[in-house]
Amino acid sequence: MHRVAPDEVRARIGEPDALTRMKKFGHIDAHVRRFIAHSPFLTMATADAAGNADCTPRGDYPGFAKVLDERTLAIPDRPGNKLADSFTNLAENDGIGLLFLIPGMIETVRVNGRAWVTDEPDVLARMQTEASTPMLAIVVEVAEVYFHCGRALLRSRLWDADSQALAAEAPTMADVVADLVGGDVETITKHVRAGYRELF
Amino acid sequence: MAAQQAVVARIAPVAEDVVALDLDAADTPLLPWTPGAHVDLTLPNWLTRQYSLCGDPGDATRYRVAVRLDRLSRGGSEYIHRFLRAGRPLAVSAPRNHFALTPAPGHLFIAGGIGITPFLSMMDAIDDARLIYTGRHLGAMPFAADLRERHGDRVRIVETERDGRPDLRQVAAELAPGTLVHCCGPAAMTDHVQKIFPGVRLERFRPQPRTHRPNAAFEVLCARSGRTLAVPPNRSLLDALADEGVAVASGCREGVCGSCELRVLDGEPEHRDDIGAPAGRMYACVSRALGPRLVLDL
């Protein structure tokens, strides 16, 4: 397959306009703070020292990612699959890229920076839900914040109610597990559902 | 708990890091309340928080609450201070009162900081009640000037940065027999007050830390539907009911607010709440069972 050289890519895409460049900030301003306070979901991209990249979903109540000040964010570590891919990557390479989404909103917010892990009680206290407090949080030192336009979400019809019919056609977690380890889909579905009850 | 619709009418600072939040009735009049009552506010970020009502109990068009910005906010007070806007509709629970006034030969109220809120209407309701109101300094004490103006010498303001802590042992020694003491404030204060006034009625901001026996599994019979369900050790009664499609209203989920009160028909609950469940009632968010089985009015 033909590989397009990096300078050729730029030539074909063209340069961003002035407004687009203006939407890039070096800090979390009042609008972005308000956006993050209403976002229940983000994707977190990290890579190891060799550049092997990974992207994981994180979600909780809106504002679960806490803005500590205009250059610092903290994201709680909730129980997940214990693969700890993000932690392993951050130990080798502290670069991080976040994409915040708000249901119903086509614009997204991108935050890039450097990250490390903390167990600071004052930070964890702000992330308590019901009966649980996270053991760890990821602190992001913000280098770049960008208010991203809504074209991708418009084209993808991400928030259209009709789009949810797609889920019925996709493989379920139980389908995947049944193919991997055997067993009947119905039993595995029950296990998966039981697991999903333990959210925190 | 039945929700009412209200609209944020005004958010205004009333002291350092404290705002008063006025909530106006949307379509129908707001439910009545008595001094000491609180409501749950469901915020746009899905969090539910409890606040004492501190406006006029006779006003069915408006509720007022006061909210201090918690430095370690999980998203409740921070949301109200930073992000909530006038004009926003909010779901407000029916008022509940775990801190109600009862007749007594005398009343003494002890408030710390934002713990003043339930006492504003209580002071209006009882002519000879006395109030000791402590805070770091006057600027950080909401409604202090207003209270002095309305109630004069019945209100003693103690600015701890200047005056130190009030000598409550002295107060206790001089207390007329039968005086009922109410206290609302931070944990350090409620703990101290409880030692000096053993019969005090307390309202806490956060649940008291405590240890329980290990969780055991138990069975629940829902008397009205005839359904039986199992509550495993790692699930709360509230969650176990929800898992089986038995919806129970809930608020704080930590045994403070009383939203999830259930009627117990048989079996002995293990109460773990901070409210003090009345006989035959329990709070499903934290409380469990002492025996193998509970029969609930569900």
Side-chain angles (χ1 to χ4, degrees), chain B residues 7-285:
Chain B
V7 175
V8 177
R10 209 164 85 96
I11 307 169
V14 287
E16 284 164 28
D17 286 336
V18 180
V19 294
L21 175 59
D22 288 340
L23 300 164
D24 282 2
D27 305 313
T28 51
L30 295 167
L31 292 168
W33 57 281
T34 51
H38 70 271
V39 289
D40 302 344
L41 302 186
T42 303
L43 300 172
N45 63 359
W46 312 344
L47 297 179
T48 299
R49 292 290 182 263
Q50 289 76 42
Y51 297 103
S52 293
L53 291 167
C54 61
D56 172 3
D59 186 354
T61 67
R62 170 168 290 187
Y63 285 162
R64 167 174 266 211
V65 299
V67 181
R68 188 177 68 88
L69 178 64
D70 183 351
R71 192 177 61 84
L72 300 180
S73 173
R74 297 169 289 171
S77 65
E78 182 196 32
Y79 193 93
I80 290 170
H81 274 252
R82 260 182 192 279
F83 303 116
L84 192 62
R85 294 167 166 167
R88 178 71 164 74
L90 279 191
V92 181
S93 73
R96 285 187 302 275
N97 201 342
H98 305 303
F99 201 52
L101 286 167
T102 46
H107 287 87
L108 172 64
F109 305 143
I110 304 173
I114 194 65
I116 190 63
T117 50
F119 298 122
L120 296 177
S121 54
M122 291 166 113
M123 283 300 285
D124 286 334
I126 302 213
D127 286 340
D128 59 353
R130 287 189 302 128
L131 169 69
I132 299 173
Y133 179 14
T134 72
R136 284 178 288 113
H137 58 94
L138 217 47
M141 299 170 69
F143 312 115
D146 187 44
L147 281 162
R148 281 302 297 240
E149 197 179 299
R150 290 167 79 95
H151 306 295
D153 287 347
R154 290 205 284 134
V155 177
R156 180 176 157 202
I157 306 276
V158 181
E159 295 175 82
T160 55
E161 281 177 2
R162 194 192 63 187
D163 310 331
R165 297 191 187 287
D167 184 354
L168 293 178
R169 290 193 189 283
Q170 182 71 26
V171 173
E174 292 165 5
L175 203 63
T179 301
L180 190 56
V181 183
H182 284 74
C183 173
C184 180
M189 171 185 238
T190 51
D191 291 350
H192 178 61
V193 167
Q194 195 163 32
K195 280 187 203 123
I196 296 172
F197 303 94
V200 66
R201 294 196 186 165
L202 293 178
E203 184 154 84
R204 299 175 198 278
F205 298 158
R206 295 294 297 274
Q208 202 175 12
R210 58 176 80 194
T211 51
H212 306 290
R213 65 188 197 128
N215 285 359
F218 59 99
E219 189 182 78
V220 167
L221 171 62
C222 300
R224 275 188 264 164
S225 64
R227 288 178 64 183
T228 301
L229 56 97
V231 182
N234 62 345
R235 297 295 279 164
S236 71
L237 171 57
L238 186 68
D239 289 334
L241 288 166
D243 291 346
E244 297 299 321
V246 184
V248 173
S250 65
C252 70
R253 291 174 163 263
E254 51 189 24
V256 174
C257 82
S259 308
C260 59
E261 184 173 293
L262 295 178
R263 226 152 72 85
V264 183
L265 302 175
D266 195 27
E268 203 172 339
E270 182 200 355
H271 297 291
R272 295 181 176 185
D273 60 272
D274 271 278
I275 304 161
R281 307 280 165 140
M282 71 183 293
Y283 301 106
C285 64

